[in-house]
Amino acid sequence: MGHREDLLEGAKRCLLEKGFVRTTARDIVKESGANLGSIGYHYGSKDALLAQAYIALIENAGDVGVPSGGTAEGGSLERFQEAWSSLLKTFPESRGIWLLTLEVVTHGERLAGVRELLVKAQSEGRGGLAAQFIGIAESELPEDVVESEGRFYTTLLNGLMVQWLFDPDSATTAEQLTEGLRRVME
């Protein structure tokens, strides 16, 4: 790997260990083996590097949900429950990313230049979530679906994340979420 990739990998490790606010440029340099000047050269700033590292972490975490060819029909309540069940199974190993996400949400206003990058990543994430639930390729999703259903799934995901981080034992299950949706629809 080159310095750029080393910095990104080091920044990802620092984020998971220390979070955004407590990670310094020197921490990243120490973790990556690169030099301090290479952060500015390759990324422009420490915050821009950390934003890219965070985006890389959540992109990898987003490769979960209903495996392609899930058993339930796309858009059905069964698919809804299947997708949430799969996604919730990933929460224990994704705890560090979810904690980091809450930090980003609560400190985003104070992280210069980071917010704009993350707003763009959030928009892209809506499409990925909607594709999992609907059962079609993200590239085939109409924009109105991303903006309505993608926002709906993102809102549910964020709420489940907070519940799960607070108390995994009492967090809403896929079955409870599906039954709630079923009742609302009736």
Side-chain angles (χ1 to χ4, degrees):
M1 285 194 293
H3 282 276
R4 182 175 177 79
E5 295 81 15
D6 291 341
L7 285 167
L8 188 64
E9 291 305 311
K12 287 195 279 187
R13 289 189 296 273
C14 287
L15 282 174
L16 290 172
E17 181 182 324
K18 294 183 166 205
F20 259 96
V21 176
R22 290 184 29 229
T23 295
T24 67
R26 293 194 188 284
D27 293 331
I28 298 168
V29 168
K30 181 179 177 186
E31 189 66 35
S32 69
N35 61 58
L36 198 56
S38 61
I39 293 174
Y41 177 78
H42 290 291
Y43 291 95
S45 71
K46 175 197 77 155
D47 285 344
L49 168 56
L50 290 175
Q52 290 300 317
Y54 173 71
I55 290 167
L57 285 168
I58 61 173
E59 282 175 345
N60 292 338
D63 294 338
V64 296
V66 178
S68 57
T71 60
E73 181 182 338
S76 67
L77 282 174
E78 292 77 19
R79 177 70 169 226
F80 181 87
Q81 183 169 325
E82 189 177 63
W84 284 115
S85 182
S86 269
L87 190 57
L88 287 168
K89 287 178 186 172
T90 70
F91 274 32
E93 69 259 16
S94 300
R95 183 175 174 79
I97 293 170
W98 297 128
L99 287 169
L100 185 58
T101 298
L102 279 182
E103 181 184 3
V104 168
V105 169
T106 57
H107 294 288
E109 295 287 325
R110 297 181 189 114
L111 299 170
V114 173
R115 189 170 188 272
E116 294 78 22
L117 290 169
L118 299 180
V119 166
K120 183 178 184 287
Q122 183 180 41
S123 176
E124 292 169 3
R126 287 192 287 266
L129 271 175
Q132 287 183 29
F133 284 91
I134 296 169
I136 63 173
E138 186 175 349
S139 61
E140 297 175 22
L141 284 176
E143 189 60 29
D144 67 311
V145 170
V146 172
E147 288 303 310
S148 59
E149 294 175 48
R151 286 179 183 275
F152 174 72
Y153 297 126
T154 300
T155 300
L156 290 176
L157 177 61
N158 289 335
L160 285 172
M161 173 190 65
V162 170
Q163 288 179 20
W164 191 87
L165 286 172
F166 185 71
D167 182 14
D169 295 331
S170 69
T172 303
T173 66
E175 294 79 14
Q176 291 167 327
L177 193 59
T178 305
E179 181 59 23
L181 180 59
R182 184 183 329 273
R183 289 178 184 216
V184 167
M185 289 172 52
E186 289 173 0

